[in-house]
Structure formats: C-alpha cells, structure tokens
Amino acid sequence: MTAAASSPDPIARPAEDDLRFALMDLALSYLFPAALRAAAALGVADHLADGPRPVAELAGAVGADPLNLHRVLRLLATRGIFTEDDAGRFALTPSAELLRTDVPSSFAPAVLMITDTTFWRPAGELEETVRTGRTPFDRLFGMPFFEHFARDPETAAVFHVGMASMSDPENPVVARAFDLPPDATVVDVGGGHGGLLLSVLREHPDARGVLFDQPHVLAGHRLGELGADDRWDLAEGDFFTEAPPGDAYLLKRILHDWDDEHALRILRQCRRAVSDRGRVLVVDAVVPPGNDPDPGKVIDLLMMSSFTGRERTRADFDALFARAGFRLTRVLPTDTRLSIVEGVPAT
Ligand SMILES: C[S@@+](CC[C@H](N)C(=O)[O-])C[C@H]1O[C@@H](n2cnc3c(N)ncnc32)[C@H](O)[C@@H]1O
C-alpha cells in the first residue's frame, strides 16, 4: 500500500514518489504534442526569428488569443522549446529554431505530420486496434492511408513533405553506413521526394539511382538539387506489382508500413528484379529484446494504429527475407534510430 493510501491524516499530501503521480504525468503527457502542434501550426517560431517578443505582440502577429498562447508556450518552455524571460518576452531556443519554416533544416513539417489528425485520431482508438487487430484508419477517413494522401496535392503535402523533413537528418548518415557493388544501380523503393537517394548519390560517386514511387509523389521530387549530375531516373509504379531493375534496393521506412503479407509482396518484386550481384537494404527500426526504452517500440504503435504495419525484430526480418528468397547477411547499426538490414538473393 502507498504512503498516501495508508496515511492516518486525511489531508496529508501523498509522497512525491507516489507512483500514481508518475501515472498521472504519463496520462497527461499527450498535452505536450498537442501544444507543440499548436505552436508549429500557428507559425510562432517564424515570428520570433528577429528576436524576443512580448506574448501579446506575438499573439497579434500569429492571430492567437494572448492568454492561451502564453499557456501553450509556457508549457513548451518547460521542455526547452521557446523560453520566457523575466519581462514576459518569448524567444527561440535551438529546438524552437527548428520549428521555423524558412530554414533549410526546418522540422516543422515533420512535427505537423506526426501530430496530424491521420495519426492522432487512430492513436486515440488504440483500444479498438488492440481488440480487433485492425487499423481504424479506413473507418475514420473512409479509405486506406495512402489513398487518403493521394486525394489532392495539399493533403499529399502534409505526409510527403513531412516525411522528407523527418528523413532529412537521417539520410546522409544512412547513406554513409553501407557499401555498394561498383557502378551499382540503386533503386529507392517508395523513395518519396528522393532525399535519401540524393544523399546516396553524393556519397557513392560511381552509383546510379532510380527513384521509384507513385506518380503524384514523384511530382515533388528533389533530385534536381544534384544540378548537372544526371545519374538518376524516375520510375513511377506500384511496388506491390513491379520493381525497376537494379543492384541495390533501398526500402527506408517501407516494410514497417505493412503487415507480413504485403511486405512479402514488396520484397518479392525486389527479388524478381535484383541482379545476381545485388542486395536488398531495408532501413527500419530493429526492435531489441527486453524492457529497455527504444524509439522503435514507440513508432511501432503508429504503424499499428494508422497503418497495417509493424516494427520488426531481427528474427522477424530473418523469416520475412527467407520467405521472399533473400538471405539476411547482416544488420548494420547507423547513428540514427534506424538500422540497415541487408539481404542477398538466396541460392
Ligand atoms: C513512410 S513513406 C517513406 C518515404 C521514404 N522512403 C522515407 O524514408 O522518407 C512510404 C512511401 O511509400 C510510398 N508508397 C506507398 N504505396 C506505394 C505503392 N503501392 N507503390 C509505390 N510506392 C508506394 C509512399 O508514396 C511513400 O513515399
């Protein structure tokens, strides 16, 4: 029994280490992403780019209620996102700086994607997902995830620009973490706007690249950033039914979107198309055993609630690769939250 429950004094405060406080903090913790989303959606950081501002002035600039804006920023400041000085002026911190939309490394689109209603609402229905084994996404939005994000360019941008922003810090690190056969053709399967392929081509000067995704996604590709370097092609298509020929198949944050049957269909298309000297490089979280915290265990629940997918263990990848005709050769850690699971065609 806890100190509070056993206390003879009815007005005695429970001990600070009462585990109910920890549970209460955990239960309330969804208000931090709610506040973060509000600040990102209002564009608060952009309006602090020139220096600290009193909250009333800031509220006028972003079109917000001053009292409520103050309450949101005060909470975020407890996590080092914005800071308030003694005169009641708010300023950027290094984390808040990343919420500016006019900086190259802007993380605002990632925050807005991760806290978008398409993730938020299904996560709120997690009990249903756990009971039924199915995502509530189609019920809530009337169609599966990727169809929803193909509706119109504005809706598509929320996810695909958000994914690009989330992937930006990872791409150069991942691109450095693997080697390639000489003069390899690298196919980035579901490569989105091409941020990873850009890094791969910069890192591997003798490689060629193919960015493979849906037509409406390829329309926003960034490979033009390579300038005169034209070692790339676009390939529109459906990764469940086809894959362009190549020597290395990158699948970054692809298999985790899908259940095993769909993941197998994607891998089998890669297996069919891969050259004899080729390999598959799956870039995903690899969930470790045990009770320690791991980011993969968190994103896993997004894959459960908004998609039909899952994060996998090494053993899961081993089994999946074998069924698709690949042999898992190694798991390369990267200095990101993702690992590279390498497979070669099984003989
Ligand atoms: C989670 S995003 C990953 C994007 C990118 N690889 C990254 O890590 O930033 C999944 C990608 O799969 C693409 N995709 C979904 N269904 C597809 C299909 N049937 N055929 C080809 N690409 C598809 C999406 O358009 C999206 O770019």
Side-chain angles (χ1 to χ4, degrees):
M1 194 173 264
T2 63
S6 62
S7 169
D9 177 353
I11 59 165
R13 289 176 63 80
E16 274 305 316
D17 61 357
D18 188 322
L19 291 176
R20 287 172 293 188
F21 287 117
L23 283 179
M24 191 166 87
D25 287 347
L26 184 59
L28 285 168
S29 57
Y30 66 92
L31 293 165
F32 287 92
L36 182 60
R37 177 174 183 82
L42 286 164
V44 171
D46 286 340
H47 291 273
L48 291 174
D50 294 330
R53 294 176 85 172
V55 77
E57 188 184 308
L58 190 55
V62 302
D65 177 79
L67 176 61
N68 288 353
L69 181 63
H70 181 250
R71 294 156 75 186
V72 161
L73 297 183
R74 177 174 69 182
L75 180 69
L76 291 174
T78 67
R79 295 283 176 98
I81 307 162
F82 305 105
T83 180
E84 184 178 11
D85 66 17
D86 292 343
R89 296 178 315 166
F90 278 92
L92 294 176
T93 57
S95 300
E97 187 80 36
L98 294 170
L99 296 178
R100 285 176 58 182
T101 56
D102 58 347
V103 290
S105 54
S106 175
F107 211 60
V111 166
L112 291 172
M113 174 199 63
I114 294 166
T115 58
D116 187 63
T117 172
T118 46
F119 287 118
W120 192 273
R121 287 179 65 199
E125 309 284 338
L126 206 61
E127 180 192 341
E128 174 188 326
T129 313
V130 174
R131 282 188 193 283
T132 64
R134 287 190 301 276
T135 168
F137 192 96
D138 305 18
R139 176 173 66 70
L140 294 170
F141 293 92
M143 62 190 76
F145 189 92
F146 286 110
E147 280 178 37
H148 171 79
F149 280 107
R151 275 171 196 256
D152 58 69
E154 210 176 311
T155 311
V158 172
F159 182 71
H160 296 289
V161 177
M163 269 315 298
S165 159
M166 179 171 152
S167 297
D168 263 353
E170 302 164 343
N171 290 333
V173 184
V174 169
R176 274 196 296 276
F178 59 84
D179 49 31
L180 289 170
D183 303 315
T185 295
V186 180
V187 182
D188 192 359
V189 179
H193 287 171
L196 176 60
L197 200 55
L198 269 179
S199 294
V200 169
L201 292 175
R202 285 178 177 140
E203 189 62 33
H204 301 270
D206 66 342
R208 286 198 62 81
V210 179
L211 183 63
F212 178 40
D213 209 303
Q214 307 173 96
H216 73 278
V217 182
L218 292 183
H221 81 83
R222 299 165 44 192
L223 293 171
E225 289 176 31
L226 286 167
D229 181 351
D230 63 355
R231 292 173 294 138
W232 55 271
D233 291 296
L234 302 177
E236 298 178 357
D238 172 5
F239 55 35
F240 293 118
T241 58
E242 60 192 313
D247 305 304
Y249 287 78
L250 282 168
L251 297 105
K252 177 163 166 288
R253 288 212 169 93
I254 298 300
L255 296 189
H256 79 162
D257 293 344
W258 302 100
D259 59 29
D260 280 1
E261 291 318 306
H262 285 86
L264 266 176
R265 285 171 61 189
I266 300 170
L267 278 175
R268 283 181 176 140
Q269 291 305 327
C270 299
R271 177 65 186 88
R272 221 175 36 78
V274 69
S275 70
D276 291 344
R277 65 184 190 133
R279 63 194 70 172
V280 67
L281 299 160
V282 172
V283 188
D284 258 334
V286 176
V287 180
N291 296 313
D292 288 338
D294 184 83
K297 295 177 184 174
V298 181
I299 293 207
D300 184 44
L301 297 203
L302 273 193
M303 299 306 120
M304 182 203 289
S305 51
S306 284
F307 298 85
T308 61
R310 52 189 287 221
E311 301 296 349
R312 294 180 169 85
T313 63
R314 182 187 172 118
D316 293 330
F317 281 115
D318 223 339
L320 204 58
F321 275 24
R323 289 177 69 194
F326 286 106
R327 179 171 55 81
L328 193 157
T329 41
R330 53 187 175 157
V331 176
L332 298 166
T334 72
D335 285 332
T336 71
R337 292 160 167 208
L338 304 171
S339 296
I340 301 171
V341 189
E342 183 192 74
V344 296
T347 46

